[in-house]
Amino acid sequence: TMSCLVSRRLVASRLRTISNSCCFNTLIDTRLHRWKQNDGTYGNEKSTKDWRCAAVSPPSQLSLSSSFRTFHSNTPILLAQREQRHRNYQSTHRQGKSYNRNNFSQIQEHLHNFPSQLSTTKNSTALAAWHRTAMELVMDVSKLWGRHRQSNPTSPQQFYRAVLLANDLVSKVLSIRESELDEEVGGIELQSIQRDKNKPRFNSERKLTTELLAQTVALGFSRCDPKISSDAAYKAQQLLDRLEEINIKHHRLKNKRNLSFKEQDVFPTARIYNHVLNCWSRSMISDAEKHATALLSRMASPRTEGVAFPRPDIFSYNNMLNLYASRGDVSAAEALLKKLEESENGVTADVYSYTIVMNAMQRRFLSGKGDRYMKDPQRAEELLARLVRKYEESGFTEGKLCPTSVTFGTVLSMYAAADRLRKENLSMNQSRSWLTRNVESSTQRIVSDVEYLGWGAENAERVLEWIIGLSERERRSRGIDSADGSHHHASGHDMFIRPCVQHFVTTSHAWANSGKGIEGAKRCESLKNRNISLYESTGYAELRPNVLLFGSLIDAYAKANEEEESAEHAERLLDEAENLFLHSHSSNPNERLSNIVYNQVIDAWSRRSSPKREAGALPGTRAENVLRRMMYNFRITGNEHMRPDVISYTGVMKAYINSPAGGEKALELLDEMNDEYMNGNRGAKPDTKAISVVIDACIKNGLSTEAERLFSDIDDSEKSIVMFNTILTGYKNEGRCHEAESVLRRMITLSDEGYANCSPNTLSYYLCIVALSKGKDEERATRGRILFNESIQRYRGGDSSCEPSTDLFNALAQVFSHSDMSCRENEVLTLLEEMESNGCTPTLESFNILIHTCSRAEANNTRNALQIAASAYNALDAAGLTADSVTYMSMIRAILNLMNDSEGKVQALAALFKKCCEGGFLNQHMINILAQDTSSDEFQSITGMSWSGRSDALQIESLPLEWSQHSTSQRKN
């Protein structure tokens, strides 16, 4: 009598191997424990009776395999083996071993023992027994996607295969039902019954029915990864269609006495329809919307068969909203929400309906695509206002309309990102304006966008104040007396509008990224103080300050400006966070200190590292002190989350990178990172970014040999374009053009071998060409042109990373200018014309290179060179550019070297000198050149200053300040 029971236990035990978790152990061990307690009987008397019924011998077509049939005679032995297998399973799980995927094939082999069709039989008891067995197996498998699915982690592939196994079982159960109905239909008159739609068909008691099995499988399909389970929605739809057909057959059948099930067993509820709709909403197939719309219409339309299937509810419509939102069809989502607001079909929108549409707007707003709509934050706020208005009109009693923290957080997040996205739009506008040379409209765009600086943060703070005001009004309206939510009268629901600390964190992030500098940081600090004040006055647990609040504030001061005072203030905030959270044992990870806030303070100091600092080592020292402080706190608390990681060390390296001994310090920190990693700190393993920073520090401190050693020790698979370009920068600075070109060829080779991260880009070619301009290779002009053409060819071949840039053209122009080639000024002029034809716009540097090249023209080409230089200088205004000190210096040299007419030369130099002084670009070098290459009378005619030959009379400090206020070589105070 125990054969069927043991068979079911065996198959269930096989199903546990679907994941690396004990998701089925509890159920099966409980069954074994109950069986032992009852001296071989299973459970109480009722369940024992049921299982005895299940042990009735089925027809031959239903019999299990021979290996299964021998279980009833060896039950005690098998149970002992089962317990031993369970102990082995637990031991294997503890050792972290992975399970053989072939276990799935074993499960399928046993499942195939269940029949797909039934022969002619009248044994309803046997049918019920096998139906019960299949149901138990399905419910066991469904624990992978049930309420506690997070504790049963599986890969998406294994999860989908588990759902398919359950689907096969339910399909066999449906086949059993269909076989029974087909037996009863033959020769029997069918009836069509019209039922009262207002009368409930069945009681609401939830039982283990065939419909529940199909519903469970449909739920599993709805939770599969759509990228892997492309046909999940189709399978769920097929399951629903079969269930509907079976229900219609049962409804029309006149004689039902011989059936083993009732109509309630196969009656589809709204839940299974909603699960199938959810499958379609998550599906990635192109016609998913068509299938979902058809299913929703089928639910809403009356049935000709006389069967009143469930009508759509709010969950059905929310699934449709999710479908529109996932496809970015905001207009369709808004239209459906409008219909729900008008109570179409007696179904009204709830808070989740509004939240779904707002999330659709948020996804469109945050996307980097061209369909971004900058007014989406206002539109989302309008939806939120409509929801709040309905909730207020209900007297704060309609729970389904109560906005959640997520609903408010969606609008806050959109406003928080608005300033960053407006900066991106400004950058794109500037790029387009250069291409069209519409300087005036570009200036207008810049002015209009600057007016919106901080616009998103201000609106986020306004919405936050709105939430706080709503919470206070609801508290008074519902008579809430205390922070625990107690109130005088019943309000109909237990939900409340309450601001939470995450709302303050989001608003603080908005100010930190608003671009308002120290003003934004101060606004963040006032938000932090407001949060603490509200928490102390209301006692709301949702407002309890956490580490994220302090982290957003520290980040704001880190990005505020380049002053050391801001970094010091960030460090003081870290002191305050340590006082609150260093020894916290809260179960909430946001209320425990981690290395994130320490890394933010380190970042604050690394941002203040600059080559122009007089005390360049100070930021590095302060950043390293924060690192040592973090390590000490980790040791005294044992908090693994506070342990320094690769981000911590990389930040300290960046802080040292511009110090005199930055290279040596970066190498020391790299060795320390390796030691930490070897001692068990997995987070301290050096990554490509950390090694790139070390290489950069070595390059900037003249340690090229160490940089090359580090680079050569890295495996080709881990090398990146950043590392290669850093090495090229070192060769560029030293003029080592041959080594630079060798590295470039290595990049191309690795790229051809499949290492996409090593593919050269425009910067790579630029650095190689600049290295040529600084080198002394006699063939540098020819080699520079070859590299340049190669870059253009790669871009035209489809490599977008090699898109031509103005810097690339300027680098080649420098090579031509420094070469010994004849008529080099003509080559540079041709290159500038080629630049425009490739979509690049010449900059002031481009014109300066051309003028400087002309000033060095050969003696037989002075007339042509002077004409080119004059034309380039006169074209600056038309190009929207303003001459600087380099431009005037190059023009002075060109006139001195190329003009033979003494009188014309003096007049040209006098006009140029006057304009240079009016612009404030005069420097000492210009005065020295004029004094050296002109006579005393010519100098006085050009500058208006008398020169007696004394050196002190030629010092720029004796001249008006306005003449040199914009010079690149300003006077020393």
Side-chain angles (χ1 to χ4, degrees):
T1 59
M2 295 299 298
S3 60
C4 188
L5 167 61
V6 177
S7 301
R8 181 165 54 255
R9 286 184 187 142
L10 178 63
V11 179
S13 67
R14 300 284 185 173
L15 291 172
R16 276 183 297 134
T17 59
I18 292 177
S19 68
N20 297 342
S21 62
C22 302
C23 55
F24 306 122
N25 286 359
T26 303
L27 175 65
I28 298 176
D29 289 345
T30 302
R31 292 178 185 172
L32 290 172
H33 179 68
R34 290 178 180 174
W35 183 82
K36 292 177 181 179
Q37 283 183 337
N38 291 276
D39 298 327
T41 60
Y42 188 84
N44 54 29
E45 294 181 0
K46 182 178 184 302
S47 60
T48 303
K49 181 179 179 181
D50 293 339
W51 283 104
R52 286 173 181 171
C53 293
V56 176
S57 299
S60 58
Q61 289 80 2
L62 293 176
S63 60
L64 297 175
S65 62
S66 58
S67 60
F68 276 48
R69 287 197 296 268
T70 61
F71 288 163
H72 69 280
S73 61
N74 298 311
T75 298
I77 299 175
L78 291 171
L79 290 176
Q81 293 175 352
R82 164 67 182 83
E83 291 179 347
Q84 181 61 40
R85 286 196 302 272
H86 175 56
R87 286 193 293 270
N88 294 339
Y89 168 81
Q90 288 181 325
S91 175
T92 304
H93 182 70
R94 283 193 298 269
Q95 295 174 7
K97 296 182 180 179
S98 61
Y99 295 95
N100 190 351
R101 294 183 180 179
N102 293 332
N103 287 333
F104 281 99
S105 62
Q106 295 175 11
I107 296 171
Q108 289 173 332
E109 179 183 352
H110 294 309
L111 293 179
H112 283 315
N113 293 310
F114 287 89
S116 59
Q117 295 181 353
L118 295 177
S119 61
T120 303
T121 178
K122 300 296 183 180
N123 193 338
S124 60
T125 305
L127 296 176
W130 287 106
H131 179 259
R132 178 64 179 268
T133 302
M135 287 193 295
E136 290 288 341
L137 294 173
V138 172
M139 299 313 292
D140 281 351
V141 180
S142 68
K143 291 184 179 181
L144 289 176
W145 60 86
R147 181 173 300 176
H148 304 290
R149 61 187 180 276
Q150 298 299 334
S151 61
N152 303 321
T154 57
S155 67
Q157 293 83 358
Q158 288 179 329
F159 184 93
Y160 182 50
R161 293 171 69 182
V163 178
L164 290 177
L165 289 177
N167 183 57
D168 290 342
L169 268 177
V170 174
S171 297
K172 289 176 172 52
V173 171
L174 293 179
S175 298
I176 293 175
R177 297 300 189 224
E178 289 172 340
S179 299
E180 285 192 77
L181 290 172
D182 291 340
E183 291 295 329
E184 296 295 332
V185 167
I188 299 177
E189 181 183 358
L190 301 179
Q191 61 176 350
S192 178
I193 304 174
Q194 298 293 332
R195 297 185 180 272
D196 185 3
K197 296 182 181 180
N198 297 324
K199 181 180 179 180
R201 182 176 297 276
F202 301 113
N203 57 37
S204 60
E205 183 181 358
R206 188 175 177 85
K207 297 180 179 179
L208 197 61
T209 62
T210 302
E211 189 274 341
L212 182 59
L213 293 185
Q215 182 188 133
T216 301
V217 174
L219 175 63
F221 280 127
S222 71
R223 290 177 176 170
C224 290
D225 188 347
K227 296 180 181 178
I228 296 174
S229 54
S230 58
D231 59 344
Y234 285 111
K235 291 184 178 296
Q237 183 71 60
Q238 292 171 1
L239 201 64
L240 175 61
D241 293 342
R242 288 188 66 185
L243 188 66
E244 278 190 348
E245 293 174 1
I246 293 173
N247 181 260
I248 292 173
K249 284 184 179 180
H250 192 288
H251 178 75
R252 295 173 61 103
L253 189 63
K254 183 176 181 180
N255 186 8
K256 307 175 183 178
R257 288 176 297 179
N258 294 328
L259 296 178
S260 64
F261 64 98
K262 297 181 180 180
E263 187 175 0
Q264 178 186 6
D265 184 76
V266 292
F267 180 77
T269 63
R271 285 188 177 185
I272 186 171
Y273 284 92
N274 291 336
H275 291 331
V276 177
L277 281 172
N278 193 14
C279 289
W280 288 119
S281 71
R282 300 180 72 248
S283 176
M284 302 178 68
I285 61 176
S286 57
D287 58 345
E289 182 178 345
K290 180 184 69 174
H291 288 284
T293 304
L295 181 57
L296 190 66
S297 301
R298 196 163 86 191
M299 293 176 67
S301 60
R303 299 303 178 91
T304 57
E305 299 87 354
V307 180
F309 288 117
R311 297 182 63 81
D313 55 16
I314 188 57
F315 299 103
S316 310
Y317 289 105
N318 284 347
N319 280 321
M320 285 301 301
L321 288 174
N322 267 323
L323 187 146
Y324 294 138
S326 63
R327 282 157 173 73
D329 194 349
V330 180
S331 300
E334 286 184 288
L336 181 55
L337 178 63
K338 189 68 175 176
K339 292 180 180 179
L340 292 174
E341 286 181 323
E342 297 170 357
S343 300
E344 182 175 324
N345 298 325
V347 180
T348 57
D350 61 4
V351 59
Y352 300 105
S353 309
Y354 288 91
T355 304
I356 292 169
V357 180
M358 285 191 287
N359 283 335
M361 293 178 178
Q362 183 185 30
R363 279 195 292 269
R364 180 174 68 179
F365 182 65
L366 297 179
S367 68
K369 301 178 181 179
D371 58 351
R372 177 184 297 156
Y373 187 47
M374 294 306 296
K375 291 186 178 180
D376 274 337
Q378 295 100 311
R379 297 178 64 189
E381 187 181 353
E382 291 173 3
L383 281 181
L384 179 59
R386 278 154 51 183
L387 174 63
V388 170
R389 184 168 57 252
K390 289 178 177 291
Y391 183 53
E392 284 191 283
E393 290 173 353
S394 71
F396 298 102
T397 60
E398 193 68 37
K400 71 174 186 178
L401 294 175
C402 180
T404 65
S405 60
V406 176
T407 312
F408 287 113
T410 301
V411 177
L412 286 173
S413 298
M414 294 177 73
Y415 279 125
D419 291 316
R420 174 179 59 83
L421 298 180
R422 285 179 180 275
K423 291 177 186 177
E424 291 182 6
N425 281 6
L426 172 62
S427 176
M428 289 188 293
N429 288 341
Q430 287 177 316
S431 176
R432 285 191 290 267
S433 66
W434 278 117
L435 291 176
T436 58
R437 294 197 176 191
N438 190 349
V439 180
E440 182 178 357
S441 65
S442 173
T443 303
Q444 292 175 354
R445 290 193 190 100
I446 294 173
V447 172
S448 63
D449 278 74
V450 168
E451 291 175 354
Y452 282 105
L453 198 64
W455 173 86
E458 290 177 356
N459 279 280
E461 190 168 351
R462 176 182 54 79
V463 173
L464 178 61
E465 293 295 335
W466 179 37
I467 299 171
I468 296 172
L470 282 172
S471 176
E472 180 64 21
R473 289 204 300 274
E474 183 186 25
R475 187 186 67 81
R476 291 195 302 266
S477 174
R478 297 175 61 180
I480 301 173
D481 293 329
S482 60
D484 60 1
S486 61
H487 44 81
H488 292 303
H489 60 276
S491 59
H493 67 95
D494 297 327
M495 299 179 65
F496 304 92
I497 294 178
R498 284 183 179 174
C500 65
V501 65
Q502 186 58 43
H503 295 159
F504 284 88
V505 172
T506 302
T507 310
S508 293
H509 278 306
W511 280 113
N513 299 311
S514 64
K516 298 288 283 186
I518 195 65
E519 178 186 348
K522 291 179 178 179
R523 297 290 286 269
C524 288
E525 191 153 15
S526 65
L527 284 170
K528 186 260 295 183
N529 296 333
R530 179 77 188 283
N531 178 243
I532 295 174
S533 175
L534 275 176
Y535 174 67
E536 293 175 348
S537 62
T538 63
Y540 292 159
E542 297 89 344
L543 284 170
R544 186 194 305 274
N546 59 21
V547 177
L548 298 180
L549 184 65
F550 284 86
S552 62
L553 179 55
I554 292 172
D555 185 50
Y557 275 101
K559 299 175 180 177
N561 51 35
E562 297 181 358
E563 302 297 328
E564 291 180 6
E565 182 181 355
S566 299
E568 290 174 350
H569 192 88
E571 200 163 337
R572 288 194 294 271
L573 289 169
L574 177 61
D575 297 338
E576 186 177 349
E578 283 184 343
N579 293 333
L580 292 173
F581 307 108
L582 180 60
H583 300 285
S584 172
H585 298 286
S586 172
S587 59
N588 185 353
N590 293 335
E591 295 179 4
R592 295 197 302 268
L593 211 58
S594 69
N595 56 19
I596 295 176
V597 288
Y598 290 92
N599 292 343
Q600 288 173 326
V601 178
I602 291 174
D603 178 63
W605 284 113
S606 68
R607 288 173 179 267
R608 279 133 187 95
S609 175
S610 171
K612 300 180 181 179
R613 291 184 53 87
E614 295 181 0
L618 177 62
T621 304
R622 297 293 294 269
E624 187 175 2
N625 290 340
V626 177
L627 176 66
R628 304 306 170 198
R629 176 178 173 182
M630 180 175 16
M631 295 181 69
Y632 173 77
N633 289 334
F634 158 67
R635 293 189 181 111
I636 64 174
T637 61
N639 182 359
E640 285 290 333
H641 298 287
M642 205 184 303
R643 199 169 190 178
D645 59 7
V646 63
I647 299 175
S648 313
Y649 284 98
T650 304
V652 178
M653 292 174 185
K654 291 170 65 178
Y656 271 118
I657 200 168
N658 291 309
S659 66
E664 292 87 348
K665 199 65 183 180
L667 290 170
E668 292 177 9
L669 290 169
L670 180 62
D671 292 338
E672 184 177 333
M673 290 176 68
N674 286 319
D675 292 341
E676 278 284 311
Y677 175 68
M678 296 302 294
N679 291 331
N681 186 359
R682 299 298 179 185
K685 182 180 180 181
D687 58 6
T688 55
K689 184 175 182 180
I691 297 176
S692 298
V693 172
V694 178
I695 293 174
D696 191 22
C698 292
I699 292 295
K700 289 183 177 179
N701 286 268
L703 302 176
S704 301
T705 304
E706 290 294 333
E708 292 171 359
R709 179 185 63 80
L710 284 173
F711 185 72
S712 60
D713 290 342
I714 302 173
D715 188 79
D716 289 339
S717 61
E718 297 181 359
K719 291 178 180 177
S720 65
I721 182 65
V722 176
M723 292 183 183
F724 278 104
N725 287 344
T726 303
I727 292 293
L728 288 174
T729 300
Y731 291 149
K732 182 260 297 183
N733 294 337
E734 299 174 5
R736 298 166 61 180
C737 53
H738 294 283
E739 289 86 346
E741 190 170 352
S742 176
V743 170
L744 181 67
R745 298 304 167 201
R746 178 60 179 165
M747 294 173 69
I748 296 174
T749 301
L750 290 175
S751 175
D752 294 340
E753 292 176 357
Y755 298 102
N757 290 335
C758 300
S759 178
N761 57 14
T762 304
L763 179 59
S764 309
Y765 284 95
Y766 164 79
L767 294 171
C768 286
I769 294 174
V770 173
L772 284 170
S773 69
K774 292 186 176 183
K776 297 181 179 180
D777 193 309
E778 295 181 355
E779 298 181 354
R780 54 186 169 184
T782 303
R783 292 174 59 192
R785 171 56 81 171
I786 292 174
L787 290 174
F788 178 85
N789 292 339
E790 183 179 311
S791 175
I792 299 296
Q793 185 177 2
R794 288 181 69 91
Y795 173 69
R796 291 174 179 171
D799 189 352
S800 60
S801 64
C802 290
E803 182 179 5
S805 68
T806 301
D807 289 337
L808 187 67
F809 281 92
N810 290 342
L812 184 59
Q814 283 281 19
V815 173
F816 290 162
S817 179
H818 294 165
S819 68
D820 297 330
M821 62 189 304
S822 60
C823 299
R824 49 183 174 266
E825 63 276 0
N826 292 329
E827 292 292 335
V828 174
L829 178 61
T830 302
L831 191 63
L832 263 63
E833 294 172 352
E834 185 180 347
M835 182 189 303
E836 293 183 322
S837 65
N838 279 273
C840 300
T841 303
T843 62
L844 181 61
E845 182 183 2
S846 309
F847 286 96
N848 288 344
I849 293 172
L850 177 59
I851 296 172
H852 176 73
T853 306
C854 292
S855 68
R856 299 176 59 249
E858 296 91 344
N860 60 352
N861 199 30
T862 56
R863 184 180 181 85
N864 178 58
L866 182 61
Q867 185 177 359
I868 293 175
S871 299
Y873 174 77
N874 294 330
L876 291 177
D877 290 338
L881 303 172
T882 302
D884 61 1
S885 297
V886 177
T887 311
Y888 287 111
M889 187 68 254
S890 299
M891 280 302 300
I892 288 173
R893 287 186 177 276
I895 294 173
L896 289 172
N897 297 337
L898 303 179
M899 287 190 70
N900 297 322
D901 183 6
S902 300
E903 183 177 353
K905 181 188 299 185
V906 171
Q907 292 177 354
L909 289 173
L912 193 64
F913 185 84
K914 180 180 179 181
K915 195 166 184 179
C916 176
C917 293
E918 290 175 350
F921 294 106
L922 183 66
N923 60 28
Q924 185 66 52
H925 189 50
M926 295 182 197
I927 297 175
N928 294 341
I929 292 296
L930 290 173
Q932 179 182 346
D933 293 350
T934 61
S935 64
S936 300
D937 294 338
E938 290 176 336
F939 182 83
Q940 184 173 5
S941 299
I942 294 169
T943 63
M945 297 180 293
S946 59
W947 176 45
S948 60
R950 300 194 313 268
S951 58
D952 57 344
L954 298 175
Q955 298 303 310
I956 196 171
E957 284 78 4
S958 62
L959 302 179
L961 178 63
E962 293 79 10
W963 289 11
S964 59
Q965 61 183 348
H966 299 141
S967 172
T968 53
S969 300
Q970 295 185 12
R971 71 180 74 199
K972 296 181 180 179
N973 296 325

